[in-house]
């Protein structure tokens, strides 16, 4: 209902059904839902890459700005007549060369304005919600090398902001608004420890600037996703799930890991308009599946996949700066060994136990503890561990097998912001301390659920040399399982009022995976998402 303010009704051609796609981003494909509410396609203008890609109304960002202003107005430290000022990302080159790196917008700026171009600033009047975009005044040579130069008016329409000016006018335009204070963004990202880039321009010293209020407030807004944002995240998950399935169908013993990385990226881009992935693809096979962040420049997915290898592929596509984060683990030859199956099913049990328990009010560290406990129980059932599970928990044995956190917030950043607001403490115990958030769950939060069991030589050696942990380990059996490498099962979910919605849709049980891969080798009969989720 709140969307209605953004409709330009006179422009809308109401149709009885969906209108065919036309390659303009201001067309009129209109559709009414059964309750008389309009579909998102009605909200214009929108971001769209044509074909079957998702149309994202820029009204998404108008709503984000409105939510931010409402929050700031409730903050007693915010004076009347304050203006939020953000600086967008800038183009960069390879080191000292003139070779450009494909631009990706800075995440806070994207959340607020949805602008894809580099070198911009944006301002929002907190009292009125009025938005101003500042775009770079491009040199004439731009028209030769880069293409048509658009005036500010073009960007005003493209992004549905109230005003647009050149960046060179920022000082005079803001001065004309006589703001009591400019709220700029300065704060630490709790995952990287890096500080956000605060807006700065020539002449800012004439303004009263506050750089501490904005960061916690805007981060808090980003933690809860709107319905329009959820539509984008459903899309990124749909495309990335399909891409993972393409990979599972194509994988063959003898291939290089990077061939599957390439196939994933190709599917995401060609079918989903995803020029970027949310993070570097992790395509570990065999023992590489136990390397949590394999795929980096020092280990660039370059091993040959061998018969008997387990593949752990952690990959997610990004559309219009919204991400996804999915891990599939499956046998390269299409058939799990007994050991692989036992470990896989232990992790799947943990994943499903967490999904059953997720709902508003639940503390995320408790979900981590739940997954850990299921792992320890299952490893005991398999025989790798022996003894009392409560005693194992006391010596943090779970963190030997799952040294990372159970999952994290997901959104515009794959490790999305706001995990540790003031008052939420990071635990110190192994495993739990790696959690990227320790919050209680609220409806509208999007998270990954990614339990894993890994046989990491370094950690196993450490445990075997620690009498407090070694006493629980059956080292002969452990030896047999080391070849499994690691299993991770990662899905993306939204917390709903009563539980959760699963966004990811890939074959998950051993039976589903083996059947899907067998079909993939012969003909391409597709995996049925709905019937799988009903199970
Ligand atoms: Mn993840």
């Amino acid at each position: 209902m709140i969307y209605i303010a953004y409709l330009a009704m006179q422009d809308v051609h109401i149709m009885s059904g969906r209108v065919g796609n036309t390659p303009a981003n201001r067309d009129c494909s209109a559709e009414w839902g059964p309750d008389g509410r309009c579909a998102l396609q009605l909200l214009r203008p929108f971001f769209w890459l044509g074909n079957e890609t998702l149309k994202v109304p820029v009204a998404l960002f108008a709503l984000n700005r409105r939510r931010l202003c409402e929050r700031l107005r409730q903050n007693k430290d915010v004076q009347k007549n304050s203006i939020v000022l953000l600086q967008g990302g800038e183009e960069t080159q390879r080191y000292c060369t003139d070779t450009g790196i494909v631009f990706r917008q800075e995440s806070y700026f994207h959340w607020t304005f949805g602008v894809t171009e580099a070198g911009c600033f944006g301002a929002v009047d907190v009292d009125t919600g009025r938005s101003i975009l500042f775009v770079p005044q491009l040199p004439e040579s731009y028209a030769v090398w880069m293409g048509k130069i658009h005036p500010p008016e073009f960007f005003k329409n493209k992004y549905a902001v109230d005003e647009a000016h050149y960046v060179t006018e920022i000082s005079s335009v803001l001065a004309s608004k006589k703001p009591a204070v400019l709220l700029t963004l300065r704060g630490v990202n709790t995952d990287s420890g890096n500080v956000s880039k605060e807006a700065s321009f020539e002449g800012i010293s004439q303004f009263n600037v506050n750089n501490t209020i904005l960061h916690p407030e805007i981060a808090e807004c980003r933690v809860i996703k709107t319905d329009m944002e959820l539509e984008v995240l459903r899309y990124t998950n749909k495309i990335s799930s399909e891409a993972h399935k393409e990979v599972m169908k194509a994988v063959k013993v003898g291939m290089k890991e990077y061939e599957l990385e390439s196939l994933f990226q190709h599917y995401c881009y060609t079918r989903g308009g995803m020029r970027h992935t949310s993070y570097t693809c992790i395509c570990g096979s065999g023992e590489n599946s136990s390397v949590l962040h394999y795929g980096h420049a020092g280990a660039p997915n370059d091993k040959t996949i061998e018969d008997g290898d387990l593949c752990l592929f952690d990959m997610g596509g990004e559309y219009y700066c919204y991400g996804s984060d999915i891990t599939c683990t499956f046998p390269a030859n299409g058939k799990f060994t007994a050991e692989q199956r036992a470990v896989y099913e232990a992790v799947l049990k943990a994943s499903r136990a967490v999904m059953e328990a997720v709902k508003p009010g639940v503390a995320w560290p408790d979900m981590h503890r739940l997954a850990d406990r299921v792992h320890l129980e299952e490893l005991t059932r398999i025989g790798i561990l022996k003894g009392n599970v409560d005693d194992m928990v006391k010596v943090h044995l779970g963190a030997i097998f799952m040294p990372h956190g159970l999952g994290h917030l997901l959104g515009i950043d794959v490790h999305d912001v706001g995990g540790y607001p003031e008052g939420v403490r990071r635990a110190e115990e192994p495993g739990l301390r790696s959690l990227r958030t320790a919050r209680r769950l609220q409806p509208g939060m999007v998270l990954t659920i990614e339990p894993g069991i890994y046989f990491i030589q370094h950690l196993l050696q450490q445990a075997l040399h620690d009498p407090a942990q070694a006493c629980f380990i059956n080292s002969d059996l452990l030896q047999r399982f080391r070849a499994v490498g690691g299993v991770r099962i990662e899905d993306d979910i939204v917390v709903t009022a009563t539980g959760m919605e699963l966004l990811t849709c890939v074959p998950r049980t051993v039976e589903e995976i083996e059947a899907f891969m067998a079909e993939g080798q012969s003909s391409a009969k597709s995996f049925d998402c709905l019937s799988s989720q009903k199970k």
Side-chain angles (χ1 to χ4, degrees):
M1 285 293 110
I2 44 181
Y3 307 146
I4 211 81
Y6 305 103
L7 294 179
M9 293 304 293
Q10 68 278 13
D11 295 340
V12 171
H13 302 204
I14 298 165
M15 306 287 184
S16 55
R18 190 188 292 265
V19 173
N21 292 330
T22 49
N25 77 337
R26 298 188 69 86
D27 75 359
C28 60
S29 45
E31 190 177 339
W32 291 94
D35 59 354
R37 281 176 54 171
C38 58
L40 292 182
Q41 279 90 339
L42 209 76
L43 302 166
R44 298 175 305 136
F46 44 77
F47 173 90
W48 186 40
L49 290 179
N51 298 341
E52 297 301 309
T53 66
L54 185 71
K55 287 179 182 174
V56 183
V58 300
L60 183 158
F61 307 100
L63 179 57
N64 285 352
R65 292 192 293 271
R66 210 174 67 183
R67 290 176 60 222
L68 175 63
C69 289
E70 279 164 10
R71 240 197 118 80
L72 288 169
R73 287 199 295 267
Q74 285 164 21
N75 184 324
K76 60 175 172 30
D77 294 330
V78 175
Q79 302 176 45
K80 274 258 169 259
N81 206 16
S82 293
I83 290 182
V84 168
L85 180 68
L86 294 175
Q87 181 168 1
E90 281 162 61
E91 296 235 67
T92 52
Q93 280 82 35
R94 276 188 194 172
Y95 308 106
C96 67
T97 74
D98 62 352
T99 303
I101 295 171
V102 177
F103 177 71
R104 194 273 195 187
Q105 187 57 270
E106 191 279 324
S107 296
Y108 282 103
F109 197 80
H110 182 77
W111 182 88
T112 313
F113 296 100
V115 169
T116 55
E117 290 83 356
C120 300
F121 286 73
V124 188
D125 184 315
V126 176
D127 295 339
T128 64
R130 269 185 81 78
S131 51
I132 313 170
L133 186 62
F134 298 94
V135 297
Q137 189 158 18
L138 301 164
E140 267 180 55
S141 63
Y142 185 99
V144 177
W145 296 94
M146 311 295 269
K148 193 169 159 54
I149 296 176
H150 297 288
E153 189 68 14
F154 171 87
F155 296 100
K156 175 177 176 287
N157 294 329
K158 182 175 178 185
Y159 296 114
V161 288
D162 296 304
E163 293 177 37
H165 307 275
Y166 287 120
V167 169
T168 46
E169 301 168 299
I170 189 166
S171 192
S172 60
V173 170
L174 290 178
S176 75
K177 312 286 178 193
K178 300 187 172 56
V181 60
L182 296 181
L183 302 175
T184 56
L185 185 72
R186 187 183 162 80
V188 175
N189 180 300
T190 52
D191 292 310
S192 65
N194 295 334
V195 177
S196 61
K197 187 175 186 263
E198 189 181 348
S200 178
F201 59 88
E202 216 178 293
I204 195 170
S205 58
Q206 65 176 297
F207 296 91
N208 184 14
V209 175
N210 177 303
N211 66 6
T212 58
I213 292 175
L214 180 60
H215 188 269
E217 297 286 17
I218 193 170
E220 201 59 30
C221 287
R222 281 179 59 184
V223 169
I224 305 297
K225 274 65 181 178
T226 65
D227 288 343
M228 283 187 277
E229 287 181 299
L230 291 178
E231 273 305 305
V232 188
L233 291 165
R234 285 187 190 102
Y235 174 77
T236 57
N237 256 271
K238 188 185 91 171
I239 297 295
S240 300
S241 294
E242 291 298 321
H244 269 282
K245 284 157 59 183
E246 286 296 302
V247 166
M248 287 173 72
K249 279 196 293 197
V251 71
K252 280 187 184 64
V253 169
M255 286 173 102
K256 283 288 187 183
E257 294 162 340
Y258 61 73
E259 292 181 63
L260 289 318
E261 174 182 19
S262 167
L263 180 61
F264 180 86
Q265 290 176 331
H266 174 67
Y267 186 94
C268 284
Y269 198 6
T270 195
R271 299 291 291 277
M274 295 167 153
R275 193 174 203 181
H276 297 273
T277 48
S278 316
Y279 51 95
T280 305
C281 293
I282 299 169
C283 302
S285 64
E287 65 179 21
N288 294 334
S289 61
S290 70
V291 182
L292 301 180
H293 283 171
Y294 181 73
H296 56 87
N301 297 326
D302 60 349
K303 175 182 162 296
T304 302
I305 297 169
E306 286 163 44
D307 198 14
D309 276 357
L310 209 51
C311 297
L312 185 158
F313 288 177
D314 182 345
M315 308 182 281
E318 178 182 286
Y319 184 74
Y320 199 19
C321 292
Y322 280 84
S324 60
D325 186 359
I326 299 171
T327 307
C328 293
T329 304
F330 52 89
N333 62 17
K335 200 94 185 110
F336 284 86
T337 65
E339 288 84 4
Q340 288 168 348
R341 181 185 185 119
V343 176
Y344 185 90
E345 290 187 329
V347 178
L348 187 62
K349 195 163 182 184
S351 158
R352 271 41 195 175
V354 170
M355 287 186 185
E356 285 289 314
V358 159
K359 61 179 182 194
V362 162
W364 192 238
D366 286 342
M367 295 296 95
H368 181 98
R369 291 187 184 95
L370 170 62
D372 239 10
R373 175 168 288 273
V374 173
H375 289 162
L376 293 173
E377 285 168 0
E378 292 305 301
L379 288 171
T380 304
R381 213 175 45 77
I382 294 166
I384 297 172
L385 299 180
K386 52 181 196 277
N388 181 290
V389 169
D390 288 327
D391 294 337
M392 297 176 194
V393 171
K394 282 180 199 140
V395 297
H396 311 299
L397 198 59
I400 296 297
F401 297 97
M402 182 172 75
H404 61 70
L406 173 69
H408 49 84
L409 295 165
L410 169 75
I412 294 177
D413 293 319
V414 63
H415 298 151
D416 214 20
V417 294
Y420 287 97
E422 214 178 293
V424 177
R425 263 191 54 249
R426 193 183 280 268
E428 278 159 23
E429 303 114 277
L432 280 170
R433 68 177 167 224
S434 301
L435 279 175
R436 295 174 191 276
T437 182
R439 297 177 69 122
R440 284 189 183 279
L441 301 182
Q442 290 170 248
M445 283 183 175
V446 172
L447 297 117
T448 67
I449 295 177
E450 49 176 310
I453 292 178
Y454 314 87
F455 297 89
I456 301 171
Q457 306 300 353
H458 173 78
L459 291 178
L460 292 175
Q461 283 320 109
Q462 193 184 298
L464 288 169
H465 285 103
D466 175 1
Q469 293 184 325
C471 62
F472 296 108
I473 300 172
N474 178 342
S475 51
D476 290 340
L477 201 56
L478 175 68
Q479 203 49 41
R480 246 179 57 203
F481 276 80
R482 283 192 178 203
V484 169
V487 170
R488 176 161 65 251
I489 299 174
E490 180 173 29
D491 294 287
D492 302 342
I493 64 120
V494 193
V495 180
T496 63
T498 53
M500 52 150 267
E501 174 191 338
L502 179 59
L503 301 177
T504 306
C505 192
V506 291
R508 277 306 189 207
T509 66
V510 164
E511 292 72 23
E512 283 170 355
I513 291 169
E514 290 187 345
F516 183 77
M517 290 182 75
E519 284 165 11
Q521 306 299 329
S522 49
S523 67
K525 194 177 140 199
S526 67
F527 163 74
D528 183 356
C529 245
L530 287 176
S531 74
S532 158
Q533 289 186 352
K534 272 187 217 127
K535 278 179 212 159

